Amino acid sequence: MRLRALLDTGALGLRLLGGEDELDRTVRGVMTTDLRDPSRYLSGGELVLTGLAWRRNAADTEPFVRLLVGAGVAALAAGEAELGAIPDDLVTACARHRLPLFAVNESVAFATITEHVVRQVSGERAGDLAAVVDRHRRMMTSGPAGGGPDVVLDLLGSDLDLRAWVLSPTGRLIAGSKVSGPALPVEVCARLAAEQLAAARTGRRGPHRLTLGASTYSLFPIRGGGRSPQGARDVRETVLSDWLLAVEADAGDWPDERLDLLQGVTQLIAVERDRRDAARTVRRRLAQEVLELVQTGAAPAEIAARLRVAAPVLLPGLGAAPHWQVVVARVEWDGTDIEAGPVAQSLLEEILVDPRTTGPEPSDRIAVAHSGDEAIALVPLPAVSAEHDGSESGIHADVLLDGVRDPLAAGLDGDGRVTLGVSAAVHSAEGLRGALEEARHARRVAAARPGRVCAAGHQELASHVLLLPFVPDDVRRAFTARLLDPLRDYDRRHRAELIPTLEAFLECDGSWTRCATRLHLHVNTLRYRVGRIEQLTSRDLSRLEDKLDFFLALRMS
């Protein structure tokens, strides 16, 4: 569609401020942003909508406009709701770079413009199916939340006979149409999410297809903030946060018109997704404020006051401040400089929601901040959970990742890691600093374990394993090599199985009889092997100190 057609549509509330000679430009899409540098998410031809939150002063304007022009956008539309009149410096910069500039009346929501552009662009290519996209307007008009993704999915079912679902990156069911029938089983959701993440990591062109049993599913990514595969600097910046649309159909033989239509549907759902992300701002800010108070050593009374503000936001209707647990997460990628804090924040907000639940409401009770490369969650526990000090009804590290491990492993694709640590529950502001450090220590314990997705809880911090993550790598290697390399060399030459014998001997607490039984050996053979271990290492396995050294060497190797 042309920019001139947008200006001629009175319901969009657009007023031209500059660029009258450029109104025949073609609009290929739309993006809403308040980033100071949105260029990584632009692929060219977009109408960019902005509330001007990126502009702190006039000096910010020229770089912003130059980035948009360099990305090849069609035009810029600035909202009047935040600042009133559009700043003169923005008008001047757009004129200098021949970038058409519109003012958006404060009475018109960006969602209205987004839906109109998507409908027109998709409708022009979809022929008769444009009527379906036109009906999707209900998502934007049926109430303050726009009706949600369910409205769009219902229309797909009623108009095109397509069963469809919206899933989170961990496989949690966000929405499904009423005509989609029974909800997808949890294991199917996890498989679909894993397939989408794996396909995104390998750069395969979508839609991605997967056959499970008698059903074939086509998967379409739903990217927030107008992100596009071409605009993203690195797919790992968003792969663990994008939703997906799963359609029970084989899109391999679809005509281009229907594929374009489904792409338009994902953009409509992305608008709702961005709304929900915006709703997390308050909870994120609360968590950030509490975290900063804790880390700067603020007085307990000040922290307690902030917790009292957070409690009713996270658990509406709760009479008193609950107990709290702290969860720390870290996402790491091999050999990259990707800013990991926001990635971990988005992912932790999703992980802390039970994958068996549906809809957005459970995530409304999660407050997650990020500090550096870490994400820190402040999780309230209702009174019934607090009675057990979090041990029964709170968050358990050993089950936290059970339902999301497979999708995450597919998204990490061999070059990323997710590690989490969980604190015990605390009931006062005084205990929050200790809970934060406890969760961080637990995460380090998880990081010392093999595997791409690991978690550890506070229960494990009473064990010797607490010490192992803090041993420097070079010390660790030297210690294990000094004790175990002679045994490994001997095993390679003679197939003597001294290492397995040593492990079994220590696990049996030095009991000759139990160890021999476990290894199916005569006790004299066991004595010979242990004697050989002592001879090769100059250690005495009857001494507690030497037993402990061997035990730690085996755990660190």
Side-chain angles (χ1 to χ4, degrees), residues 121-394:
V121 171
S122 182
E124 287 173 0
R125 293 177 295 187
D128 292 340
L129 292 178
V132 178
V133 179
D134 185 58
R135 292 181 60 193
H136 290 167
R137 177 171 298 182
R138 284 189 236 159
M139 191 188 87
M140 302 299 177
T141 58
S142 57
D150 307 83
V151 174
V152 181
L153 301 185
D154 286 343
L155 290 171
L156 284 179
S158 61
D159 287 41
L160 298 180
D161 196 27
L162 291 176
R163 286 161 39 90
W165 302 265
V166 176
L167 305 178
S168 78
T170 62
R172 185 170 64 89
L173 185 64
I174 302 294
S177 69
K178 296 181 180 64
V179 296
S180 291
L184 286 176
V186 171
E187 57 273 15
V188 172
C189 292
R191 284 288 305 279
L192 296 176
E195 173 66 18
Q196 173 62 30
L197 290 173
R201 287 303 313 275
T202 57
R204 282 187 277 149
R205 291 179 60 85
H208 313 301
R209 289 168 288 160
L210 178 66
T211 299
L212 297 176
S215 299
T216 297
Y217 300 90
S218 297
L219 310 176
F220 299 80
I222 299 171
R223 298 181 174 92
R227 293 190 294 264
S228 67
Q230 297 82 10
R233 182 177 57 184
D234 190 312
V235 69
R236 288 170 289 189
E237 293 177 345
T238 60
V239 69
L240 297 180
S241 59
D242 287 338
W243 285 2
L244 70 124
L245 174 67
V247 181
E248 190 177 16
D250 188 345
D253 56 357
W254 281 4
D256 290 342
E257 290 82 3
R258 178 162 289 200
L259 288 173
D260 287 344
L261 178 68
L262 265 293
Q263 294 293 349
V265 169
T266 64
Q267 292 185 40
L268 288 172
I269 298 175
V271 172
E272 181 64 20
R273 195 271 169 81
D274 289 343
R275 283 176 171 172
R276 294 181 181 181
D277 282 349
R280 290 180 173 178
T281 302
V282 172
R283 300 190 300 280
R284 286 178 170 181
R285 185 181 299 122
L286 283 172
Q288 198 73 43
E289 290 173 354
V290 173
L291 174 63
E292 290 175 1
L293 290 174
V294 170
Q295 293 191 135
T296 57
E302 187 176 359
I303 299 175
R306 183 53 55 188
L307 289 177
R308 284 194 293 272
V309 172
V313 174
L314 301 178
L315 284 178
L318 194 66
H323 290 201
W324 304 87
Q325 274 183 285
V326 175
V327 182
V328 172
R330 192 178 184 116
V331 176
E332 299 171 286
W333 302 102
D334 297 342
T336 71
D337 59 352
I338 294 174
E339 187 180 0
V343 178
Q345 181 182 44
S346 177
L347 182 60
L348 187 54
E349 287 171 336
E350 181 59 40
I351 287 176
L352 290 174
V353 181
D354 189 329
R356 293 167 296 184
T357 62
T358 60
E361 292 78 10
S363 63
D364 290 344
R365 299 184 175 185
I366 307 300
V368 183
H370 72 83
S371 176
D373 288 338
E374 285 183 334
I376 298 100
L378 188 66
V379 183
L381 301 178
V384 64
S385 300
E387 291 174 2
H388 303 292
D389 199 26
S391 60
E392 293 185 17
S393 301

Side-chain angles (χ1 to χ4, degrees), residues 325-330 374-377 419-424 431-446 455-458 461:
Q325 274 183 285
V326 175
V327 182
V328 172
R330 192 178 184 116
E374 285 183 334
I376 298 100
T419 52
L420 294 94
V422 182
S423 78
L432 207 55
R433 184 178 182 86
L436 175 59
E437 291 306 313
E438 190 173 58
R440 283 175 167 161
H441 284 314
R443 193 208 63 79
R444 294 189 187 103
V445 170
H458 62 93
L461 301 187

Side-chain angles (χ1 to χ4, degrees), residues 498-511 514-516 518-519 526 554:
L498 296 185
I499 292 289
T501 300
L502 175 61
E503 292 175 330
F505 187 73
L506 294 175
E507 289 173 2
C508 292
D509 298 323
S511 168
R514 283 195 289 129
C515 184
R518 174 184 288 193
L519 296 175
L526 176 61
L554 289 168

Side-chain angles (χ1 to χ4, degrees), residues 399-435:
V399 298
L400 186 59
L401 299 174
D402 284 352
V404 300
R405 194 178 303 274
D406 289 344
L408 288 181
L412 296 168
D413 191 35
D415 66 347
R417 290 200 77 199
V418 173
T419 52
L420 294 94
V422 182
S423 78
V426 296
H427 63 277
S428 67
E430 289 88 345
L432 207 55
R433 184 178 182 86

